């Protein structure tokens, strides 16, 4: 298929590379020159605007940091028209960014007014999953759009879920990441308590993994440096899923809870922890560096 890919950051670059490996014809666009050059080296075509990247595309995929970027791209900013207006040949549009369901529905409604099929398809699985092509896609939108997107998403992911109508993918993703934020901070807290009381973090991790406290953070993303080879914690928390992105996702959960009068006391606590951690200068570190908050003064 002829695919336009917009947003070649930590996630978008390996996702676009997997589309190339699967034999798709991919045209890329990013604001960062080096990101496009890298994909060009892997066989992609590059364009000098999002509109140009989408010119012949049957499918458009975007992978941008936050809602403001997605709204700006598709609906336009500062009086300039958005990308939706340029898609007169009616490609399928898939936004894989994690943004609020409200922002998603705004773009989805504008797409529908123009006769375009639009899906929200946020992902889970991190940079490792993006590179390995094992992401989980959580899709919101029409059944027909979902079926058309499935073969394309399968080139980048292993589990493809249809959560419901437009915005449902974002709701499910936000619930998942709220739980992840709670699990990661809880794991960091338990490890710090054990170590303060004389335990070896690796031994304690193994015990909790095999006990009722076992969870994803302990299994594949241990936050204590040196416990797990290859983890972000074991490379000074460089790369990975940034604290700022986790703080953003927990903020989205908070907004969603306020709007629907849901109660999220654990999620609110986690949001405050990650926001504080970010404010202390750790926004660009992997989110498992939340462990530092519990090690202050050591
Ligand atoms: P990133 O900041 O590494 O990459 C975003 C890219 O978008 C950058 O290269 C930037 O230059 C580009 N960009 C921004 N505005 C643009 C525009 N108008 N036109 C073209 N390019 C533009 O972010 P990321 O880590 O790749 O995350 C992307 C999304 O995926 C976020 O919503 C994030 O929450 C979500 N996500 C990230 C992870 C992770 O582990 N990093 C995991 C799951 C989901």
């Amino acid at each position: 298929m002829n695919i336009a890919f917009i947003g070649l950051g930590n996630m978008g670059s390996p996702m676009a590379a997997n589309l190339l490996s699967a034999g798709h014809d991919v045209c890329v666009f990013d604001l960062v020159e080096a990101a496009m050059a890298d994909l060009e080296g892997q066989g992609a075509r590059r364009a000098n605007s999002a509109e140009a990247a989408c010119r012949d595309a049957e499918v458009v995929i975007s992978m941008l940091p936050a809602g403001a970027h997605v709204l700006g791209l598709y609906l336009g900013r500062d009086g300039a028209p958005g990308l939706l207006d340029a898609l007169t040949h009616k490609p399928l549009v898939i936004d894989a960014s994690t943004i609020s369901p409200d922002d998603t529905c705004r773009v989805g409604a504008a797409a529908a007014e123009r006769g375009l099929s639009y899906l929200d398809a946020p992902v889970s699985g991190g940079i490792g999953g993006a590179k390995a092509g094992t992401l989980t896609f959580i899709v919101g939108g029409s059944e027909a759009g979902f079926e058309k997107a499935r073969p394309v998403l399968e080139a980048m992911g292993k589990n493809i879920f249809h959560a419901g109508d437009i915005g449902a993918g974002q709701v499910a993703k936000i619930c998942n990441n709220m739980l992840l934020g709670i699990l990661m901070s809880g794991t960091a807290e338990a490890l710090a308590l054990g170590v303060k009381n004389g335990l070896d973090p690796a031994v304690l991790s193994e015990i909790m993994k095999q006990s009722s406290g076992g969870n994803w953070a302990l299994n594949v993303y241990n936050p204590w440096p040196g416990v797990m080879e290859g983890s972000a914690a074991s490379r000074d928390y460089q790369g990975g899923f940034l604290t700022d992105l986790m703080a953003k996702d927990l903020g989205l959960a908070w907004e969603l809870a306020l709007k629907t009068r849901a109660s999220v006391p654990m999620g609110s606590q986690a949001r405050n922890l990650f926001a504080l951690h970010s404010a202390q200068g750790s926004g660009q570190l992997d989110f498992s560096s939340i462990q530092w908050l519990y090690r202050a003064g050591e």
Side-chain angles (χ1 to χ4, degrees):
M1 271 190 163
N2 193 328
I3 300 173
F5 204 107
I6 301 159
L8 305 168
N10 286 320
M11 296 294 286
S13 282
M15 289 165 71
N18 281 327
L19 290 172
L20 287 166
S21 304
H24 293 293
D25 178 357
V26 183
C27 189
V28 297
F29 176 68
D30 194 288
L31 303 175
V32 177
E33 176 68 27
M36 287 196 285
D38 183 44
L39 262 295
E40 195 177 25
Q42 299 180 56
R45 290 179 293 126
R46 63 192 276 182
N48 46 25
S49 70
E51 286 76 7
C54 296
R55 201 154 286 144
D56 314 312
E58 296 156 85
V59 178
V60 173
I61 302 175
S62 51
M63 191 53 166
L64 303 177
H69 306 88
V70 176
L71 293 173
L73 173 71
Y74 287 114
L75 305 185
R77 64 164 72 84
D78 303 331
L83 179 60
L84 291 183
D85 286 331
L87 302 178
T88 49
H89 55 301
K90 309 236 182 311
L92 171 67
V93 184
I94 305 172
D95 178 48
S97 325
T98 302
I99 65 172
S100 77
D102 278 357
D103 287 345
T104 293
C105 290
R106 259 184 81 188
V107 183
E113 278 169 20
R114 291 160 179 78
L116 288 159
S117 182
Y118 181 86
L119 303 173
D120 51 312
V123 304
S124 178
I127 295 168
K131 286 184 179 155
T134 57
L135 290 171
T136 295
F137 281 89
I138 312 165
V139 183
S142 72
E143 188 68 46
F146 176 72
E147 286 310 328
K148 188 167 175 206
R150 188 198 287 276
V152 176
L153 301 182
E154 279 172 351
M156 301 178 282
K158 202 171 62 169
N159 297 302
I160 321 291
F161 291 108
H162 189 196
D165 288 339
I166 287 188
Q170 299 294 356
V171 174
K173 164 73 184 174
I174 288 167
C175 292
N176 179 72
N177 274 28
M178 184 181 80
L179 180 58
L180 173 62
I182 293 167
L183 287 174
M184 183 56 82
S185 41
T187 300
E189 192 166 307
L191 285 170
L193 178 65
V195 170
K196 271 232 151 70
N197 285 276
L199 295 185
D200 177 326
V203 172
L204 175 58
S205 294
E206 201 51 37
I207 291 169
M208 294 195 294
K209 247 165 87 173
Q210 306 303 335
S211 306
S212 43
N215 68 72
W216 185 88
L218 281 171
N219 288 342
V220 304
Y221 220 106
N222 195 297
W224 199 280
V227 169
M228 188 174 279
E229 209 181 312
S231 68
S234 296
R235 46 167 205 272
D236 287 335
Y237 303 105
Q238 298 302 312
F241 181 47
L242 304 185
T243 297
D244 277 346
L245 288 179
M246 175 50 91
K248 176 201 71 163
D249 290 355
L250 288 163
L252 292 175
W254 203 356
E255 280 173 18
L256 203 56
L258 280 175
K259 191 177 157 213
T260 51
R261 304 187 66 194
S263 179
V264 289
M266 305 288 284
S268 301
Q269 192 75 272
R271 194 210 83 90
N272 284 330
L273 282 171
F274 282 97
L276 176 66
H277 188 44
S278 175
Q280 289 180 347
S282 301
Q284 295 299 302
L285 296 176
D286 180 77
F287 81 117
S288 63
S289 62
I290 194 76
Q291 187 69 72
W292 277 355
L293 271 191
Y294 295 94
R295 299 182 67 183
E298 263 182 30

